[in-house]
């Protein structure tokens, strides 16, 4: 392997990352105990090497260019990995620490993940946890996330997937809606009902409902005048207020079912679920803060019960 970076260039990368994090050459210089001019020279050295402008600098502000943002995310990840590698082989990191960034979909994030985070931090107080609740697919490398929870896992050799749980699905409607429109007894009856649609943000297509009939798993396409996207809880709220019939994760509607605000339908065709998994990049040195979080979450015997008890 040929040497790509000398000591001066590695130092320039560290100063560039400090300047990007602090948003100021002066602040970066104070932290690194160098002069602002030294930081400026380091950034200029990098810009000359890679042939792009990294910062837009005016008398009032300094911000990363788009190329600078991408370069910063990659450099920050590489520097963090070097630190973790040293800690891994030297055994210096006895207690996990640092920032843990997690992306989770709205439903699983609110109902499952967030209730478990305080318990994790009580065990590992040195780890700061940042949770982004969003249904979009994040880019681990460019956005700097450590972990993501997803219901639909795509084949990606660069990611490790750890199964969390299979989340049961139920079909529900409000007593008011059923009093007006009747109760469906078969899957075919759904054609006569207002079925609230959930559209995938990635495609805009309504997802089919999942059932089990005569021991076979089947998909059933429904139709209706209501549609929601991005957040399953919107469909559940519409159902609660009498808009129609909706298929939802049980954990989203279980309190409404217990309180009688919603009624479970088509139980003879139930039993289906969707898996949720924890994803993180496949790399040689997994940061300790990531390893302990994965072990904590996957080590819970019943994440659903743990979330309810938190």
């Amino acid at each position: 392997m040929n040497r790509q970076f000398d000591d001066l260039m590695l130092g320039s990368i560290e100063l560039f990352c400090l300047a990007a994090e602090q948003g100021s050459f002066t602040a970066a210089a104070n932290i690194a105990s160098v002069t602002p001019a030294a930081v400026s020279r380091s950034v200029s050295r990098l810009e000359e090497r890679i042939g792009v402008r990294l910062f837009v600098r005016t008398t009032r502000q300094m911000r990363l260019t788009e190329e600078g943002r991408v370069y910063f995310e990659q450099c920050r990840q590489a520097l963090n990995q070097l630190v973790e590698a040293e800690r891994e082989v030297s055994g210096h990191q006895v207690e996990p620490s640092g920032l843990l960034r997690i992306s989770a979909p709205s439903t699983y994030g609110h109902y499952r993940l967030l209730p478990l985070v305080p318990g994790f931090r009580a065990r590992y107080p040195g780890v700061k946890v940042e949770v982004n609740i969003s249904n979009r697919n994040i880019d681990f490398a460019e956005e700097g996330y450590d972990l993501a929870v997803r219901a639909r896992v795509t084949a990606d050799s660069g990611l490790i997937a750890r199964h969390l749980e299979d989340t049961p699905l139920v079909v529900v409607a409000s007593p008011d809606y059923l009093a007006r429109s009747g109760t469906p007894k078969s899957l075919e009856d759904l054609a006569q009902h207002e079925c609230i649609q959930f559209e995938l943000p990635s495609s805009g297509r309504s997802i089919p409902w999942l059932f089990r009939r005569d021991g076979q798993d089947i998909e059933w396409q429904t139709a209706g005048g209501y549609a929601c996207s991005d957040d399953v809880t919107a469909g559940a709220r519409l159902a609660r207020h009498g808009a129609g019939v909706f298929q939802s994760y049980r954990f989203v509607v279980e309190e409404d079912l217990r309180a009688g605000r919603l009624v479970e339908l088509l139980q003879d065709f139930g039993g289906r679920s969707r898996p949720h998994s924890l994803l993180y990049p496949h790399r040689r040195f997994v940061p300790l803060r990531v390893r302990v979080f994965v072990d904590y979450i996957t080590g819970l015997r019943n994440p659903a019960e743990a979330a309810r008890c938190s």
Side-chain angles (χ1 to χ4, degrees):
M1 177 179 176
N2 295 326
R3 188 175 184 187
Q4 300 294 320
F5 302 96
D6 57 22
D7 294 342
L8 183 62
M9 191 57 64
L10 285 172
S12 295
I13 291 173
E14 284 189 301
L15 289 176
F16 159 68
C17 287
L18 267 177
E21 290 171 350
Q22 299 299 316
S24 162
F25 284 0
T26 301
N30 289 337
I31 293 174
S33 298
V34 298
T35 65
V39 177
S40 180
R41 285 194 300 271
S42 293
V43 171
S44 297
R45 190 178 298 117
L46 289 176
E47 290 177 329
E48 183 178 350
R49 174 186 171 92
I50 61 181
V52 299
R53 194 175 184 184
L54 297 174
F55 288 103
V56 175
R57 298 183 288 274
T58 68
T59 55
R60 293 187 176 184
Q61 66 174 351
M62 181 184 80
R63 62 178 177 82
L64 287 166
T65 63
E66 180 60 25
E67 294 82 2
R69 183 189 65 79
V70 172
Y71 188 61
F72 167 61
E73 292 295 347
Q74 297 286 348
C75 287
R76 180 173 63 176
Q77 183 176 341
L79 290 174
N80 287 340
Q81 191 165 344
L82 285 173
V83 173
E84 294 295 340
E86 286 190 353
R87 289 171 174 170
E88 179 81 17
V89 298
S90 66
H92 287 170
Q93 188 172 5
V94 178
E95 291 295 327
S97 63
L99 176 62
L100 182 70
R101 302 189 70 221
I102 309 169
S103 171
S106 57
T107 48
Y108 201 90
H110 284 295
Y111 288 89
R112 285 291 191 265
L113 181 65
L114 292 178
L116 302 179
V117 170
F120 169 77
R121 289 211 67 242
R123 185 176 299 183
Y124 303 106
V127 180
K128 179 181 178 181
V129 179
E130 176 186 313
V131 182
N132 175 263
I133 303 297
S134 170
N135 294 309
R136 66 183 181 86
N137 291 323
I138 55 97
D139 186 305
F140 281 96
E142 288 196 6
E143 299 182 64
Y145 283 98
D146 297 297
L147 296 155
V149 177
R150 288 294 175 263
R152 294 173 177 83
V153 179
T154 58
D156 187 336
S157 59
L159 296 177
I160 296 173
R162 296 288 299 274
H163 180 259
L164 291 174
E165 62 175 306
D166 293 313
T167 50
L169 295 164
V170 293
V171 177
V172 297
S174 71
D176 178 60
Y177 172 83
L178 297 175
R180 295 193 323 265
S181 305
T183 301
K185 302 296 185 181
S186 68
L187 302 188
E188 287 75 14
D189 288 348
L190 290 173
Q192 310 304 318
H193 284 268
E194 186 69 66
C195 295
I196 302 167
Q197 303 298 295
F198 180 76
E199 298 176 348
L200 284 176
S202 58
S203 65
R205 296 179 179 178
S206 297
I207 62 171
W209 294 6
L210 305 183
F211 295 103
R212 182 167 294 145
R213 180 159 66 178
D214 299 328
Q216 298 294 316
D217 290 343
I218 61 173
E219 295 184 350
W220 198 266
Q221 201 66 50
T222 60
Y226 294 95
C228 55
S229 64
D230 206 45
D231 190 348
V232 170
T233 57
R237 185 169 291 274
L238 281 169
R240 184 195 305 168
H241 290 281
V245 183
F246 187 59
Q247 186 171 63
S248 168
Y249 295 121
R250 179 178 289 277
F251 63 68
V252 173
V253 297
E254 57 187 352
E255 289 202 10
D256 287 321
L257 290 171
R258 283 197 293 268
R261 293 185 293 266
L262 289 172
V263 177
E264 184 174 354
L265 309 173
L266 301 171
Q267 296 185 51
D268 290 342
F269 305 96
R272 296 295 301 276
S273 62
R274 286 197 177 98
H276 278 82
S277 299
L278 190 63
L279 307 180
Y280 55 100
H282 191 289
R283 51 193 176 190
R284 185 174 180 183
F285 296 107
V286 178
L288 183 57
R289 64 183 181 277
V290 175
R291 294 207 311 270
V292 295
F293 185 83
V294 172
D295 290 344
Y296 177 81
I297 294 296
T298 59
L300 296 173
R301 289 186 178 181
N302 188 337
E305 186 63 29
R308 282 195 294 270
C309 294
S310 298

